[in-house]
Amino acid sequence: MKRYKITYAFILASLSSTINAQNTAELNQRNNLTDNVVVERFADINVLRYQVPVWDKLSLKEKELVYYLTQACTSGRDIMWDQNYRHNLKIRKALEHIYTQYKGDKKSADWKNFEIYLKRVWFSNGIHHHYSNDKIKPGFSKKYFSSLMAATKTQLNPQIVDVLFNNEDTKKVNLDESKGLIKGSAVNFYGQGLTEQEVESFYKNIKSVDAERPYSFGINSKLIKTAQGKIEEQTWKHGGMYGKAIDQIVYWLDKAKSVAENKSQADALQLLIDFYNTGILKTWDEYNIAWLKATEGNIDYINGFVEVYNDPLGYRGSYEGVVQIKDFDMSAKMEVVSKNAQWFEDNSPLMPEHKKQNVVGISYKTVIVAGEAGDSSPSTPIGVNLPNADWIRAEYGSKSVSLGNLIDAYAQAGGKGKLQEFANDAEEIALAEQYGELADKLHTSLHEVVGHASGKINPGVGTPKETLKSYASTLEEGRADLVGLYYLYNPKLQEIGLVDDWKKVGMEAYDNYIRNGMMTQLMRLELGANVEEAHMRNRQWVSSWVFEKGQNDNVIERITRNGKTYFNINDYEKLHDLFGQLLREVQRIKSEGDYEAGKKLVENYGVKVDQKLHAEVLERSKKFPNAPYNGFVNPIYVPKLDAQGNITDITLTQPKTFAEQMLYYAKNYSFLPLEN
């Protein structure tokens, strides 16, 4: 899996203890946001809006293409909801019915907490937190909820009502093997009664035509066990599971094809249509290759079953869509990273047998997002690298993009204070203020372009999802992070014109990474929790490993001052070497499929939390107004038609509130039955 959410670079300040929604106007005034980027704040979430600054510069044909592609993306929205949990669509319908029909007291604390609960469910595409995977706890009683249902004549199965308040299905994705990876996960990818062993056995008995070019088995299906005990796939395609939503996606993709910018783009769209219609995995590979080759034009997109993080076994892809417009100025500046990818590979600390002799076809662009859906919305990545299959990447390359206007919106919404609170000294603060933004962007690009393209698997070793299993995602994320970290402290960056002082940029990047991995990312966890999310795990195991291995040389020093903890890097050169040593080992684990070594690394360094330090971080973070999680409403595109029904222009409008957008989506894009 090579498409990853890279969110750490722009994490906002802290976890607030309050669940009361704050006044948006006051928040905007406090952050001095002249363009009103913050739509709403509730619980641990900021909802933002992003701009599409190039919209008026597009031709009518380009606007049509964007419009059709965004319609296609949004048409699959309910797929993600159902994938996340089998009862999500029923629950959402009931909650929205109460929200729109209730005529009672809307000033009570219970009602305010109901509104917040609904918004949290909207934001997470279901009843489980989008990041922690924990079931979201209502801030009101079951008795109050029953009164709302009665007052609005809302129908919801009593057993499902119970689930909202009890301890059933508490984890969307469980990675604790002792609880059962499937049994302990509420995600709707596997039928009742299936075990991990049965799933692995099922796929071991399915062979690709070419063992060197394996199909992405399971990427577009649910696996079930029939009443007769037979295990079979329910494929997501026309006429199959999710067929009604897929037909809508295909309808809009066909319209997009009619206004494609060139033949390569049109050919790729047709293959995607064919894949949705047939569900054939060979067609999925053919589409990804064609999509990679379609590099001309101003408009690009992501659409399909892509992310495998939500599958505890790493087979099934969550539905998502992103529509993007090229940002030519920034893309030209970042292209230099792609052009030097082979140099980075040749000079990496990997074992010689694990290096690629020919790193091919990496394209890196900064883009302007025009619309998102599914697993990319409301919570979104800021960097994307596709396609998934290692063999396609090795033979045909990959596309990496940085979502530039979303990064800009994050930066505008970010408050100040966290740096001053958690940085060790004035020098660290000064480096962050001068080089922080540049170091973040470079780490993202090195992570995506060089990191995910680096290294190779030994002949005969299976794919990471087969060999490293539930640890594959966090190990891959950490491996890509380590590639970026290793080269951020390197004079090559200055030699190729990306920085004016490579050492200071590298120092800032190291300060920020250790500060976040050891301490500040704990703001996102409830006290007492283990680290579950793949990216958080990788930041912790990378940071904790180098901290421990460098203790004899005092590479990183843990300092307590006035009752507060700080981490200070004393030797950047040795830390650079430690990052290289760890990168070499993690690549070995991936190349050789060493499950036990991967498990040991993650479990020993990436899961358990220092509870005393965690409590301290939460206490210190209370002073910051910003929420730790951020997401976006999407622009709405409105076609203008002439008397004959032809599109003469397409205007862009912004939703005024989060609820407005969610209810609009529910009304216009609910194509699936409530049970699938």
Side-chain angles (χ1 to χ4, degrees), residues 49-67:
R49 61 169 56 90
Y50 58 87
Q51 305 301 317
V52 187
V54 298
W55 183 251
D56 291 335
K57 298 179 182 179
L58 298 181
S59 68
L60 177 59
K61 185 178 179 182
E62 289 171 332
K63 288 181 178 180
E64 283 190 76
L65 179 57
V66 169
Y67 172 65

Side-chain angles (χ1 to χ4, degrees), residues 19-246:
I19 62 171
N20 291 324
Q22 297 185 19
N23 183 277
T24 301
E26 291 179 0
L27 189 61
N28 287 336
Q29 185 176 10
R30 178 166 61 244
N31 288 336
N32 193 28
L33 301 175
T34 57
D35 61 348
N36 196 26
V37 68
V38 178
V39 176
E40 193 166 354
R41 160 74 188 275
F42 52 88
D44 55 358
I45 291 163
N46 270 336
V47 178
L48 313 176
R49 61 169 56 90
Y50 58 87
Q51 305 301 317
V52 187
V54 298
W55 183 251
D56 291 335
K57 298 179 182 179
L58 298 181
S59 68
L60 177 59
K61 185 178 179 182
E62 289 171 332
K63 288 181 178 180
E64 283 190 76
L65 179 57
V66 169
Y67 172 65
Y68 296 144
L69 288 172
T70 55
Q71 289 293 304
C73 285
T74 313
S75 293
R77 169 180 182 256
D78 278 2
I79 296 175
M80 182 65 191
W81 279 79
D82 193 74
Q83 288 177 325
N84 278 343
Y85 185 54
R86 64 190 183 279
H87 297 316
N88 270 339
L89 292 175
K90 302 186 193 79
I91 292 169
R92 189 186 76 194
K93 182 177 180 181
L95 294 176
E96 290 174 345
H97 187 263
I98 292 171
Y99 184 76
T100 57
Q101 299 302 312
Y102 184 61
K103 307 300 182 185
D105 182 4
K106 293 187 177 182
K107 295 182 180 180
S108 71
D110 277 336
W111 177 257
K112 294 296 183 184
N113 286 332
F114 171 80
E115 288 183 308
I116 291 169
Y117 178 72
L118 172 56
K119 290 172 184 178
R120 295 182 74 190
V121 170
W122 276 334
F123 191 87
S124 295
N125 294 313
I127 65 170
H128 296 88
H129 194 280
H130 73 286
Y131 205 84
S132 72
N133 288 310
D134 293 326
K135 188 163 65 174
I136 300 169
K137 298 176 182 178
F140 49 88
S141 68
K142 181 180 175 183
K143 181 179 179 181
Y144 178 72
F145 185 67
S146 297
S147 72
L148 292 179
M149 291 180 62
T152 55
K153 299 181 180 179
T154 300
Q155 301 295 315
L156 187 62
N157 186 298
Q159 291 180 326
I160 300 177
V161 173
D162 288 342
V163 169
L164 300 183
F165 298 92
N166 65 22
N167 292 322
E168 185 179 336
D169 295 332
T170 57
K171 201 78 171 177
K172 183 174 75 172
V173 184
N174 166 58
L175 298 177
D176 183 347
E177 293 181 336
S178 68
K179 298 177 181 177
L181 297 179
I182 295 178
K183 185 178 180 180
S185 298
V187 69
N188 189 26
F189 286 148
Y190 297 97
Q192 296 293 315
L194 276 174
T195 66
E196 292 90 274
Q197 293 74 24
E198 287 175 319
V199 175
E200 290 175 5
S201 177
F202 178 83
Y203 286 111
K204 279 182 180 178
N205 292 324
I206 303 176
K207 304 297 181 184
S208 298
V209 176
D210 184 348
E212 298 299 316
R213 297 171 178 82
Y215 296 141
S216 299
F217 290 120
I219 196 74
N220 65 328
S221 67
K222 179 178 179 177
L223 199 66
I224 65 165
K225 183 187 287 187
T226 67
Q228 294 73 36
K230 182 182 178 182
I231 298 175
E232 59 185 34
E233 290 181 318
Q234 292 182 326
T235 304
W236 306 327
K237 66 182 183 72
H238 165 73
M241 189 173 180
Y242 301 142
K244 291 184 178 180
I246 287 171

Side-chain angles (χ1 to χ4, degrees), residues 541-553:
W541 62 252
V542 168
S543 300
S544 297
W545 189 94
V546 294
F547 175 72
E548 179 187 284
K549 300 304 178 184
Q551 282 187 335
N552 289 339
D553 295 323

Side-chain angles (χ1 to χ4, degrees), residues 482 513-519 521-522 531 536-551 556 558 567 575 578-579 582 601-610 613:
L482 284 162
Y513 196 88
I514 296 300
R515 188 169 61 243
N516 188 29
M518 296 294 289
M519 194 162 47
Q521 72 168 2
L522 296 178
V531 181
M536 286 186 70
R537 279 188 169 188
N538 92 246
R539 292 191 288 275
Q540 179 166 298
W541 62 252
V542 168
S543 300
S544 297
W545 189 94
V546 294
F547 175 72
E548 179 187 284
K549 300 304 178 184
Q551 282 187 335
I556 304 171
R558 178 169 173 164
F567 288 89
L575 181 55
L578 287 170
F579 282 138
L582 184 55
L601 177 62
V602 176
E603 293 290 344
N604 286 352
Y605 296 97
V607 178
K608 299 299 180 182
V609 175
D610 180 332
L613 178 61

